[in-house]
Structures are given as C-alpha cells and as structure tokens.
Amino acid sequence: MTTPVELNPKEYVKTLELLRKIDFFTEVPDDDLRGILLSLHKQTFEPGKTILFQGEIANRLFIVVKGGVSISSKAKGQNLALAELAPPSYFGEISLLRPVSATATATAGVDGAELIILNHDALTELSKRIPDIQTRIQTVIESRIASKKKASESDE
C-alpha cells in the first residue's frame, strides 16, 4: 500500500473523464468538477490488501481507476462476497455524507487497485457550488440499500 498522494496535473483530463462516469457527477458542470481535482488524492494497493475494514469510519469516497476491488461482509460468522468492482465503480459514498462505520470490507483485487479518493472536506467545498450534490448521492445510497435488501431477502 502506498500513502495517498495528490493528483499529478497530467492526470486531470483522465480523472475528469472518470468522474463524468460516476452517476451523481454526470450532470455536474465541468468547471465545478475541475474545482475538486485539487482536493482528490490517488492511492495504490497491492493485490489482496485491505482498503477499508467493515466497521471502520472512513468519511471518503473511493473511485476505482485501475485494477479491481472485492467487497465482502461478515455476517453470522460467515464471510459473504458482495461485489467485484472495476473502473469506474466506487464505494464509501455513505460515509462521505455522514460519519458511519463501513458496512463491508473492501480489498484490492488480484491485480491490485489504484483508487481516486474524495474526502468529506472536498465534498463540502463541492456542495457550495452544487447545492444538490448531497441529495444526488443520497438517492444513489437509497437505491443501493434497496437492492442489497432485496438480494438478502432472496437468499433467505
């Protein structure tokens, strides 16, 4: 695992293209998205390394740039595989809005993972320019929770 580093300005165009693919950023004007580039960090994880532990309070959004991320959770003493994420997937959006513990563990995939990280402070800055950004994120969260609930009910 490396320490998070600031984005290299040479990566801005590619990062803007990636942000454009995130559902709650699709209609955000380019100027506003460019405004958060300076707040983003990049971090690389070796294959199999834990990125985020279930129960950890993270207050940041992780966007998969390269490689993959496995999402799993422990329930009733069993480890359940929930999802395999590839670019431009993301996780951590719930804790971005309010400090809550992670509902699952995120682990770098077999090829490792390179992630872009948006922290809560950057979201607060973005909210000044885009007042409804938190509502957009909340809508995505509610839809993910509903589909997770539906999936767990079909397992029973």
Side-chain angles (χ1 to χ4, degrees):
M1 174 175 83
T2 61
T3 309
V5 294
E6 290 181 5
L7 284 183
N8 182 324
K10 292 177 184 172
E11 298 173 292
Y12 287 175
V13 171
K14 185 175 70 169
T15 302
L16 268 178
E17 289 169 7
L18 180 74
L19 292 176
R20 260 297 130 243
K21 296 175 184 173
I22 305 295
D23 41 17
F24 48 82
F25 285 143
T26 52
E27 295 174 21
V28 173
D30 278 348
D31 285 348
D32 292 328
L33 273 184
R34 275 189 211 100
I36 66 166
L37 288 172
L38 296 172
S39 308
L40 297 176
H41 288 83
K42 182 171 72 171
Q43 191 167 1
T44 305
F45 293 84
E46 296 295 321
K49 289 290 181 194
T50 301
I51 298 163
L52 181 66
F53 287 98
Q54 184 173 343
E56 179 182 345
I57 295 177
N59 81 341
R60 29 194 213 284
L61 175 74
F62 299 88
I63 304 169
V64 182
V65 179
K66 287 184 188 163
V69 174
S70 297
I71 305 293
S72 63
S73 99
K74 277 197 174 18
K76 299 175 188 160
Q78 294 193 357
N79 206 13
L80 304 168
L82 300 176
E84 293 295 324
L85 305 181
S89 300
Y90 59 87
F91 59 96
E93 68 281 358
I94 295 173
S95 67
L96 189 60
L97 294 182
R98 60 190 172 279
V100 295
S101 57
T103 57
T105 295
T107 309
V110 293
D111 296 325
E114 183 178 305
L115 308 174
I116 295 288
I117 302 167
L118 171 72
N119 65 29
H120 180 75
D121 293 342
L123 178 71
T124 302
E125 280 303 306
L126 189 59
S127 296
K128 292 175 185 171
R129 288 190 290 269
I130 308 153
D132 72 335
I133 192 69
Q134 293 191 6
T135 306
R136 293 179 193 201
I137 295 170
Q138 186 62 44
T139 302
V140 169
I141 291 168
E142 287 167 6
S143 127
R144 283 188 171 192
I145 289 171
S147 64
K148 185 178 177 182
K149 184 177 179 187
K150 192 174 179 180
S152 72
E153 286 170 355
S154 69
D155 287 348
E156 291 174 4

